[in-house]
Amino acid sequence: MSDGPFDVFALIIAIIAFIIAIKASSQAAELRRRLSSLEEMFRAQRPVQPPLIPADVWADAPPTTSAAPPPLVPQAEPEAEAPPPLVTEDISPPPLEASTEADATPPLPAPAPGFEERLGTRWVVWIGGLALALGGFFMVRYSIEAGLLGPGVRVFLGGVFALALLGAGEWSRRKESISNSAALPIANIPAILTAAGTAVAFATIYAAYALYGFLVPATAFVLLGLVALGTLAAALLHGPALAGLGVVGAFVTPILVSSGKPDYWALYIYLAVVTAASFGLARIRLWRWLAVTTIAFAVLWIFPGLDTSDLQVAPHAFHVIAGFVLAALLVVCGFMFGPTIEDGEIEPVSSGSLGAYLFGAMLIVLSSAHADLALMAFTLLVGATLLVAWRAPAATGALGAAAATVFVVFAEWAVRANPDMLVLPSGPMAGIAPTAIDSAVTLHLVMAAIFAAGFGIAGFLAQGRSNSAIIPVVWAVAGVATPIAILVALYARIAHLDRSIPFAILAVLLAAAFGAATEALARRETRPGAMISTALFATGTLGALALALTFALEKGWLTIALALMSLGTAWISMQRPIPFLRWLAAIFAGLVTARIGYDPRIVGDAVGTTPIFNWLLWGYGLPAASFWAASLFLRRRGDDAPLRMVESAAILFTALLAFMEIRHFATGGDVTSAPSLLECALQACVTLAMAIGLERLRLRSRSVVHNVGAVVLTVIAGLVSVFGLLILENPLLWRTDVGGAVFNLLLLGYALPAVLMLLLSYAVAGERGKAYANTIAGGALLLALTYVTLEIRRFYHGPILSSGATTGAEQYTYSIGWLGFGVVLLGVGILVNSERARLASAVVIALTILKAFVIDMSTLTGVYRALSFMCLGIVLVAIGWLYQRILFRRQIAPPPAPQTST
């Protein structure tokens, strides 16, 4: 039997089951709706005021089918709040009318749509709109493949179909408006029909241009642009989806229509019209996303042509200026035609729109190698940013972008004139240095004066103009940082980082201006943000003075100047307890640390050859002293992250000062040469001494930085001792001249570190773990025993310990020396009652016994072998007597008294 009837029957059952499921889902949704209504009726006992809607300036307005806002309906007051009526003798029944309380009851919330409602009101509409657009595309494709219609007829029918869809969308919108039938915001049939029509119109015009050549590029460009602008205009009536299609189509049109020789003027005039239309629509409907999308596309259109050798500066400058002007007029809140906003708020879109076009102007300046026209356009936009931010506080955030772009422009100008500033101390790398240029110095100097004066004066005058604290602080930051950054860039460009008295004078004048601003602000009445702004101008005063010192002296003083700025900022934070100042002191400390990471010698080859008193002492010593003093100031206000950063810098620079000075002394000024026994010895001694000092300091400060620093220095000392003194620079393994008989490198490299390790073990005893202290004590014992061994070797072999054979007398002397060292340790342990010293003695004597039975028995002969074991035996017996009679003497209990009977 054939399976055909069964397949048809199964299909019919499936269709019936699907219909029943839809009906059941609809019934369930209706039951849930009724249950929710009953619950709301029971809970609605008294009128409930609707929640207040927050005023969001750029909130996404819901799409509607009409541009007119809905009328405002006054809310009825509840009857319970009205005064009670006067009671009279004539009592009549109340009129039959709806109660006020019932009128004030809020409407019940609409239940969530069910599956059937979603299927019939949303999904079908979306799929239908997509099908209409694809149908137009596929019809054109089919006509091409089948050869039914000619190119002209195809284009004509595509245009007719697009017009039909647009007309249908407008007819359905008007129909809904007349019938008072509200469309679903996410499935608006008129909007979807209009979107499909515009998509078909785009495709038809592009096919007429690209496929058939009916249109020249200029005509196609104009027609596509008109469709895009029409789509944006239609979005006023049909909602945000159509606006998104229009803005994307408008900005993509120039890519679709291209020519061999681009006309940037036509392109940017067209983009200015599109940007104006898009910004206008975003302003009318308060669509934040549309403004942001437009800005993003507009900035991306700056890049074409920037990487060409024949860069056309004028049209690119027109593009950024036009976009900036349109954003200021229509996007910036509280300025000209922009949306309103509460005073004192910084609005991200307002600030970001101006910052985006400033970024574009900066790119044009850099790509054009600082052409005069590009510089003038950039200067105009920076000045306009100050003006707009002055009038509209919502755009105050653009001041940061303006200051950053100004610094980048001048810094890039300085680097291009001095490519060697990008060369690392290790040497140049091919292909990374920029090509040096010689732009107009006079124009840059004029710009620098305008920017420095504009930011500085405006930053001072803006204090006290706003009731918000963040607004004056942003102005103060821009007013202080920008002049200093410009001065540094000009110094690098003109003075080439060498000494310059004129720049030092300019820095002093700038410091005087900041100081006068600080005094003026300190005398004013307290306003929001006044304390932070005053502290910022005071910090600028210190920074300018530090720069004056840097400009007047050698290059290495920049490191010192930054360290002094950290100290000065910490002191100011004592006078004005502002958390930002503590972080500023930490930031300066980080900058100094980064500076020495670039060149540890501070001044390159000009360090000098004089031991101790050379540039390392000033380059590391003064910053270390500054950071220690700054940490004392900061600790008075509490223990926090900035304090720990400054304390870490203080420890780091102190350790680096010691390490670098030791290396300079041990190598004779050549800090790149290989290490030696002298250097390792000094490094171990100094590191142990610093660890002891930090252990003592942490007991008073209880600082986690001092705690960790002491442990780190101890570990470094241990590594230097093990790998440096005992392995890599051990004179017994390598040919090294250790010097005289007693006062030699052995005393410095092994005896003194052993003593310091012993002192460190006592410093941590009782404060850290027992194993930690015993490990350090074990290291001291190892270095001391090594010193005894190497001194005996020095007695037999002279300054060079690695040469010559070991005689029997020398081998016997080792045993006697170790045994004597153990006896001395035992005596010290008995005198001071130190268990640790006695245990160390036991270890040394055990090693001596092991040596006697393993080495002496096999290598010594004759009298030396006998004397070795005789001395060992005598000493061991004496040690046993000492332990029995002195340390662990047992008292013999007297015999019990005899019992007497009574």
Side-chain angles (χ1 to χ4, degrees), residues 372-387:
D372 292 348
L373 181 59
L375 287 174
M376 289 187 286
F378 177 72
T379 305
L380 179 63
L381 291 190
V382 172
T385 302
L386 294 177
L387 175 62

Side-chain angles (χ1 to χ4, degrees), residues 24-63:
S25 176
S26 177
Q27 292 175 352
E30 180 64 24
L31 290 176
R32 287 196 299 269
R33 186 182 299 109
R34 293 181 180 180
L35 180 60
S36 300
S37 301
L38 291 175
E39 290 177 352
E40 292 295 333
M41 289 178 63
F42 280 113
R43 283 199 297 262
Q45 298 297 330
R46 58 190 181 87
V48 180
Q49 295 288 342
L52 297 177
I53 301 177
D56 190 355
V57 178
W58 281 103
D60 292 340

Side-chain angles (χ1 to χ4, degrees), residues 76-447:
E77 298 182 356
E79 186 179 359
E81 297 180 0
L86 298 177
V87 180
T88 60
E89 294 181 358
D90 185 12
I91 302 176
S92 59
L96 296 177
E97 60 182 4
S99 64
T100 308
E101 182 177 355
D103 294 338
T105 303
L108 298 178
F115 173 78
E116 183 180 8
E117 184 178 355
R118 291 191 182 95
L119 180 65
T121 61
R122 301 182 184 181
W123 299 349
V124 172
V125 176
W126 297 336
I127 298 173
L130 179 62
L132 286 173
L134 292 177
F137 300 152
F138 292 154
M139 180 59 69
V140 174
R141 179 178 179 180
Y142 172 74
S143 66
I144 295 174
E145 293 175 351
L148 301 177
L149 302 173
V153 179
R154 298 171 198 161
V155 173
F156 174 75
L157 291 180
V160 171
F161 185 57
L163 292 176
L165 289 175
L166 292 174
E170 179 62 19
W171 178 82
S172 60
R173 184 191 69 82
R174 293 173 180 264
K175 189 71 174 178
E176 287 182 353
S177 177
I178 295 174
S179 62
N180 293 326
S181 175
L184 288 175
I186 58 175
N188 193 346
I189 294 176
I192 291 177
L193 289 174
T194 306
T198 55
V200 174
F202 268 113
T204 301
I205 297 174
Y206 182 69
Y209 159 71
L211 298 180
Y212 309 124
F214 291 160
L215 303 176
V216 297
T219 305
F221 180 77
V222 172
L223 291 178
L224 288 174
L226 290 177
V227 172
L229 293 175
T231 305
L232 287 175
L236 282 171
L237 303 175
H238 294 285
L242 199 61
L245 178 63
V247 72
V248 172
F251 280 101
V252 171
T253 292
I255 299 178
L256 300 177
V257 182
S258 60
S259 61
K261 186 177 182 181
D263 186 354
Y264 287 105
W265 275 112
L267 170 65
Y268 289 138
I269 291 175
Y270 163 77
L271 292 180
V273 175
V274 171
T275 303
S278 183
F279 281 167
L281 178 59
R283 170 62 186 91
I284 294 173
R285 301 301 296 269
L286 295 180
W287 286 339
R288 175 197 297 261
W289 65 269
L290 183 58
V292 174
T293 304
T294 304
I295 294 169
F297 275 114
V299 172
L300 288 177
W301 271 111
I302 299 175
F303 288 92
L306 289 182
D307 56 346
T308 59
S309 57
D310 54 343
L311 172 61
Q312 300 180 26
V313 177
H316 284 78
F318 167 78
H319 176 55
V320 294
I321 293 175
F324 185 94
V325 172
L326 291 173
L329 293 177
L330 299 173
V331 176
V332 176
C333 298
F335 185 79
M336 300 300 288
F337 307 107
T340 58
I341 192 175
E342 294 183 6
D343 186 23
E345 294 185 12
I346 298 179
E347 207 274 320
V349 176
S350 301
S351 302
S353 61
L354 302 183
Y357 287 105
L358 284 171
F359 173 75
M362 178 195 72
L363 290 180
I364 297 173
V365 172
L366 302 184
S367 301
S368 65
H370 295 247
D372 292 348
L373 181 59
L375 287 174
M376 289 187 286
F378 177 72
T379 305
L380 179 63
L381 291 190
V382 172
T385 302
L386 294 177
L387 175 62
V388 174
W390 183 270
R391 296 291 303 274
T396 306
L399 294 175
T405 53
V406 166
F407 174 72
V408 170
V409 166
F410 279 93
E412 197 265 352
W413 181 58
V415 170
R416 280 184 175 272
N418 302 274
D420 57 317
M421 287 194 293
L422 295 182
V423 178
L424 298 176
S426 57
M429 296 179 63
I432 66 167
T435 304
I437 62 173
D438 189 15
S439 299
V441 177
T442 303
L443 181 59
H444 282 81
L445 292 178
V446 173
M447 287 175 52

